[in-house]
Amino acid sequence: MQLNVFDNLRSSVLVVAAIAAGGVATAQSTVAPGAIYTMTNATDGNAIAIFDRGLDGAASYVGLVPTGGTGTGAGLGNQGGVILAQSDRFLLTVNAGSDTISVFRVDEYGLALTSVTPSGGDLPVSLTQHDGLVYALNAGSDSIAGFRLTFDGSLVPIPGSVTGLSALDAAAAQIGFAPDGDFLYVTHRANNLIDRFAVGPQGLARRVVPMTSNGATPFGFAFGQRDQLFVSEAAGGADSASTVSTYRLGEFGQLQTVTGSAPTTQTAACWVVASPDGRTIYTSNTGSDSISSFRVGFEGELRLLDPQAANTAAGPLDMALTLDGKFFYVIDAAAGVLGDYVVNDDASLTGIPGGSPVLPASVSGLAVR
């Protein structure tokens, strides 16, 4: 039987009491091999929904932990709204309704809220971090802002780091560091652009350089092996028209096309993740209620493995893979559930029997450890 998370929150006095006291919220969680996190993005108080991850990959609901901020109550059109940082010692989330970022300390029993900090702009939707340097994408103000993540879980704004995107009204979806931390990239859903920022030694992002995306509506992205970048292209939601492009990162961060707009044959491919070994990527196709899989060649070339590696519940959004690549998770926002899957040797996905609580349709972001 599915359980409404808001009913659970009202009955989970221990969770709320722990946060109010600045302690760790366990919600009676037992020690598990790992955990999964997403956020409700609720207007009356954003919260992190915690799931234990079993040895078989099955997700079991633990409880909600308030973020100290508010959401928008609607989809954010983003990737990267919830991230883990510093070897999974901290969890960061955007509060898009209150223009803040929350940081939690992570341990095997739960989360402890350590700070809530202004995001440096309007409508934060995506976060990225590299070696203690955090950048936020503020989609409402078409800007990015930088912070230092301290050992105690505070976010310290970097003076002079607020920088505009290359174009206004970008409907920007994601910000991400290159693997070496020398460059930042931002996708523009509305302008069909990908911005590149050079990151200086003091953590300041400068010299924004835009390039035109191979396909329309560049959305989510993920980095692979050998300086490869995979970008989903939603094609404005056109039926069965979504694509994925691969780029190689040049010496100065420039993006060189390897495979341009490989078709998924599905609708609204908006989110993308890469397997830990870099050999497979997946897209979640919100309009088709499916996950597509691609095989990645040595140079980053793409070959469609299965346009429907999994059929999901309604409205799949953010995805995440475990570090060992054995288990796969996806938020099915329109259905209000978290889907959990075993990753087979051929990269196909097998659903794990069971059910998850009823999450709000505004749910956004996904991180797993």
Side-chain angles (χ1 to χ4, degrees):
M1 180 179 71
Q2 291 180 330
L3 174 68
N4 188 293
V5 294
F6 295 107
D7 291 338
N8 185 278
L9 178 60
R10 284 190 286 270
S11 63
S12 296
V13 177
L14 289 177
V15 176
V16 179
I19 286 298
V24 175
T26 68
Q28 302 297 323
S29 175
T30 57
V31 177
I36 307 150
Y37 310 96
T38 186
M39 67 165 170
T40 63
N41 190 33
T43 56
D44 59 352
N46 194 13
I48 297 294
I50 307 174
F51 297 79
D52 275 344
R53 178 169 62 84
L55 287 171
D56 61 354
S60 57
Y61 180 63
V62 174
L64 291 175
V65 180
T67 68
T70 60
T72 65
L76 296 178
N78 66 326
Q79 181 165 313
V82 178
I83 65 169
L84 287 159
Q86 300 292 68
S87 301
D88 295 351
R89 290 191 300 116
F90 295 103
L91 180 83
L92 286 71
T93 187
V94 297
N95 298 304
S98 54
D99 298 334
T100 57
I101 303 166
S102 295
V103 181
F104 296 86
R105 186 175 66 252
V106 179
D107 70 18
E108 60 190 358
Y109 294 103
L111 300 174
L113 183 64
T114 59
S115 64
V116 181
T117 306
S119 68
D122 298 329
L123 193 68
V125 297
S126 182
L127 301 167
T128 186
Q129 75 87 32
H130 183 273
D131 197 23
L133 179 61
V134 174
Y135 262 84
L137 169 61
N138 292 296
S141 51
D142 293 308
S143 63
I144 64 174
F147 306 83
R148 293 286 182 186
L149 178 61
T150 68
F151 71 94
D152 64 351
S154 298
L155 274 185
V156 180
I158 299 174
S161 66
V162 176
T163 304
L165 302 181
S166 66
L168 298 178
D169 300 320
Q174 184 178 357
I175 187 170
F177 274 108
D180 61 8
D182 288 343
F183 298 93
L184 283 164
Y185 300 89
V186 174
T187 46
H188 294 220
R189 290 183 295 139
N191 299 325
N192 298 331
L193 297 174
I194 303 173
D195 280 352
R196 176 177 92 249
F197 297 84
V199 181
Q202 303 303 315
L204 294 176
R206 289 290 182 267
R207 300 196 309 274
V208 56
V209 179
M211 71 162 282
T212 301
S213 168
N214 275 293
T217 324
F219 201 116
F221 59 85
F223 292 94
Q225 305 296 319
R226 295 175 291 279
D227 292 324
Q228 296 160 359
L229 175 66
F230 309 102
V231 181
S232 64
E233 298 157 348
D239 187 50
S240 305
S242 291
T243 54
V244 183
S245 288
T246 307
Y247 303 92
R248 181 185 300 281
L249 278 60
E251 180 181 0
F252 302 104
Q254 68 272 31
L255 300 181
Q256 305 162 346
T257 301
V258 177
T259 296
S261 299
T264 67
T265 74
Q266 304 292 290
T267 303
C270 299
W271 287 262
V272 60
V273 293
S275 63
D277 63 8
R279 297 182 59 195
T280 309
I281 66 164
Y282 298 91
T283 66
S284 60
N285 309 302
T286 309
S288 300
D289 299 335
S290 64
I291 306 294
S292 297
S293 60
F294 288 83
R295 183 63 75 201
V296 180
F298 185 84
E299 299 296 332
E301 60 273 23
L302 295 178
R303 175 174 61 87
L304 183 63
L305 279 178
D306 191 341
Q308 295 181 328
N311 292 307
T312 68
L317 305 182
D318 296 82
M319 303 171 288
L321 281 156
T322 54
L323 188 60
D324 60 10
K326 293 181 178 179
F327 303 111
F328 177 100
Y329 303 91
V330 60
I331 297 169
D332 300 320
V337 298
L338 173 70
D340 45 9
Y341 299 82
V342 172
V343 181
N344 302 310
D345 290 342
D346 62 357
S348 62
L349 303 173
T350 299
I352 299 173
S356 71
V358 178
L359 298 166
S362 57
V363 66
S364 179
L366 193 65
V368 61
R369 64 171 181 86

